[in-house]
Amino acid sequence: SQQGEEDPQALSIQEGENATMNCSYKTSINNLQWYRQNSGRGLVHLILIRSNEREKHSGRLRVTLDTSKKSSSLLITASRAADTASYFCATDSGTASKLTFGTGTRLQVTL
Amino acid sequence: EAGVTQSPTHLIKTRGQQVTLRCSPISGHTSVYWYQQALGLGLQFLLWYDEGEERNRGNFPPRFSGRQFPNYSSELNVNALELEDSALYLCASSLSGADEKLFFGSGTQLSVL
């Protein structure tokens, strides 16, 4: 079953613009993670935010978490063509053994 | 340092056949996870192995099985293949079952005809 639901399902922007994708989940979590998948291959871990954190930054990535609304957002600033990929949120009830992935947002960044 | 490696990268089988997929975790990682990703869908959790034991399995029929070897590498076996088994099968590893982050391999694309 899917814990996280990403929104939008697909997003198309031009290089240099910001991209925002959202994730909603249903149950309480210990942390929420974002992963990136290029062309249907393996996923790469991007960032982890714990349930007691509200915002986290990593390079051009900014993640927010609102546990009262059970939602998170991933902002990619100054997007590049190389950011074209699918982005998944994954909710964690404590360990990687309990990671549950959402359905993903497909991001297309055009020149 | 080598990442998670999976073999083969692509596989074509026919209905009713059996298939074995292989995964080698990052050196030092003891936990291995298997996920199924059907076309355009999210990841569905299949199996978790840690220290040679099956620790948890997802909502899949018993014809999906696997094992973990003493060197922590793992196999996923699927018997009596069905058309809907066509998917990308992803293996991931973590430092331990208590770790929070997963490291993924590039997957095995299985097509069942």
Side-chain angles (χ1 to χ4, degrees):
Chain A
S1 63
Q2 301 297 139
Q3 159 79 307
E5 295 288 337
E6 283 91 337
D7 167 54
Q9 289 188 331
L11 181 61
S12 182
I13 60 173
Q14 290 192 315
E15 204 172 47
E17 294 181 334
N18 295 341
T20 299
M21 49 206 91
N22 305 295
C23 169
S24 59
Y25 56 92
K26 299 183 178 106
T27 64
S28 61
I29 59 171
N30 283 12
N31 68 65
L32 185 144
Q33 303 176 36
W34 286 90
Y35 287 79
R36 183 177 109 166
Q37 183 180 37
N38 285 80
S39 304
R41 305 309 288 176
L43 280 73
V44 175
H45 182 269
L46 293 176
I47 196 166
L48 180 154
I49 185 166
R50 302 191 185 283
S51 59
N52 61 352
E53 296 175 310
R54 291 296 167 257
E55 187 170 312
K56 203 159 183 182
H57 297 255
S58 177
R60 293 184 296 114
L61 305 179
R62 172 179 168 252
V63 170
T64 62
L65 179 65
D66 186 334
T67 53
S68 66
K69 294 181 180 177
K70 292 188 169 55
S71 67
S72 172
S73 67
L74 171 68
L75 168 68
I76 304 173
T77 59
S79 62
R80 305 165 182 167
D83 294 329
T84 295
S86 291
Y87 292 81
F88 293 86
C89 69
T91 51
D92 184 354
S93 61
T95 65
S97 60
K98 297 177 175 63
L99 269 184
T100 305
F101 286 82
T103 51
T105 292
R106 293 186 309 278
L107 174 65
Q108 176 75 43
V109 182
T110 56
L111 295 171
Chain B
E1 178 184 290
V4 177
T5 58
Q6 291 188 244
S7 64
T9 54
H10 294 83
L11 206 49
I12 299 175
K13 292 285 188 179
T14 56
R15 282 180 58 192
Q17 285 189 312
Q18 178 265 341
V19 68
T20 298
L21 312 180
R22 294 177 175 81
C23 172
S24 292
I26 290 172
S27 177
H29 285 197
T30 65
S31 273
V32 171
Y33 310 79
W34 288 95
Y35 286 86
Q36 181 196 65
Q37 186 180 26
L39 186 64
L41 298 180
L43 279 72
Q44 300 290 332
F45 169 70
L46 267 167
L47 290 159
W48 169 40
Y49 292 96
D50 184 54
E51 297 282 357
E53 301 283 334
E54 180 180 305
R55 302 296 186 184
N56 198 9
R57 66 179 291 130
N59 189 24
F60 281 83
R63 55 192 188 82
F64 287 84
S65 66
R67 54 180 173 166
Q68 186 179 34
F69 299 97
N71 66 353
Y72 304 115
S73 66
S74 176
E75 282 182 352
L76 173 68
N77 298 293
V78 188
N79 294 322
L81 284 167
E82 299 179 2
L83 296 178
E84 53 264 33
D85 296 334
S86 294
L88 180 66
Y89 288 84
L90 291 163
C91 172
S93 72
S94 66
L95 196 56
S96 73
D99 200 12
E100 296 170 315
K101 193 166 78 172
L102 293 181
F103 295 83
F104 281 85
S106 296
T108 293
Q109 184 65 57
L110 172 65
S111 298
V112 182
L113 306 177

